[in-house]
Amino acid sequence: MELEKLLSIMETEGVIHGGSEVNKAMVAVSDETRRLCAQLNNGVYTNEEIRQQVSQIIGQELDEGFSLFLPFTSDFGKNIKIGRNVFINSGCRFQDQGQIIIGDHSLIGHNVVFATINHDFNPLNRGTMYLKPIVLKERTWIGSNSTILPGVTVGENSIVAAGSVVTKDVEPNTIVGGNPARVIANLEDKI
């Protein structure tokens, strides 16, 4: 199955049934992405070389303002969109089958997990995956060791405190923290 067709099915249907042709196509892309991530994480590279390799993993040309500290892992790779001047710190894990969109000027701390998949609750059907995108709007800051769950949008300028588990959308100009993440403050009160 061609990548564009696969991405279209994943976006429009939002479900991948275990053992289906779509699942097999997704696994083939994932196999290649894991190989590319292993190559990236097992070498010493300049910033430009890292940008080139991540561009190959995600299928998008990245701007000179993009910066990534290794290691980095992605389950799928081709469903990540990264804006301008984005910084991603070391140890981040992108489960991007459901799509991860990162807005311009965003900062992502150490060991952040973006999880865009849920599995079926029925234990006999756990191979079925439900996909929902994660969207970081412009100028967001995701603190170290945070986890962002499927379907979450983090609004412009917002901050997710370190160690948070974000289960619901975050309003613009808001600071959230905890497990599950709750509003701590309005950003406008802090600046």
Side-chain angles (χ1 to χ4, degrees):
M1 177 179 301
E2 287 188 18
L3 179 61
E4 293 307 316
K5 181 177 180 183
L6 174 61
L7 291 172
S8 177
I9 290 169
M10 292 167 73
E11 182 177 354
T12 57
E13 295 182 14
V15 177
I16 298 176
H17 297 281
S20 68
E21 290 304 311
V22 174
N23 182 256
K24 291 174 186 172
M26 181 193 75
V27 168
V29 173
S30 293
D31 288 347
E32 175 65 6
T33 297
R34 285 193 307 273
R35 184 189 68 73
L36 291 170
C37 286
Q39 178 183 335
L40 174 65
N41 292 321
N42 287 296
V44 178
Y45 303 105
T46 66
N47 289 335
E48 178 58 30
E49 290 168 330
I50 290 171
R51 269 195 302 280
Q52 289 171 356
Q53 289 186 55
V54 174
S55 293
Q56 182 180 5
I57 289 168
I58 69 173
Q60 172 198 341
E61 191 67 33
L62 295 167
D63 74 305
E64 289 185 8
F66 173 80
S67 183
L68 168 72
F69 288 1
L70 299 173
F72 169 80
T73 57
S74 171
D75 287 5
F76 185 73
K78 301 302 187 206
N79 228 352
I80 301 170
K81 306 286 184 258
I82 298 176
R84 295 183 334 272
N85 298 309
V86 168
F87 172 70
I88 301 171
N89 218 321
S90 63
C92 291
R93 302 182 184 282
F94 284 49
Q95 182 193 56
D96 62 288
Q97 287 87 339
Q99 191 173 58
I100 298 169
I101 301 170
I102 302 172
D104 296 345
H105 309 286
S106 291
L107 305 174
I108 300 170
H110 292 90
N111 301 317
V112 170
V113 173
F114 294 102
T116 66
I117 295 176
N118 272 322
H119 292 273
D120 199 280
F121 289 163
N122 181 336
L124 301 176
N125 196 27
R126 290 269 162 81
T128 296
M129 296 168 272
Y130 300 95
L131 314 177
K132 290 186 179 177
I134 292 171
V135 178
L136 305 182
K137 297 292 187 167
E138 293 75 22
R139 295 172 305 281
T140 57
W141 174 18
I142 309 300
S144 296
N145 296 303
S146 293
T147 299
I148 313 295
L149 295 180
V152 167
T153 296
V154 179
E156 294 87 357
N157 306 316
S158 291
I159 299 170
V160 173
S164 298
V165 177
V166 184
T167 62
K168 297 179 182 175
D169 288 352
V170 176
E171 293 294 319
N173 302 303
T174 304
I175 302 170
V176 300
N179 180 5
R182 293 181 174 85
V183 174
I184 295 173
N186 185 304
L187 184 61
E188 294 163 352
D189 295 338
K190 299 288 185 186
I191 54 176

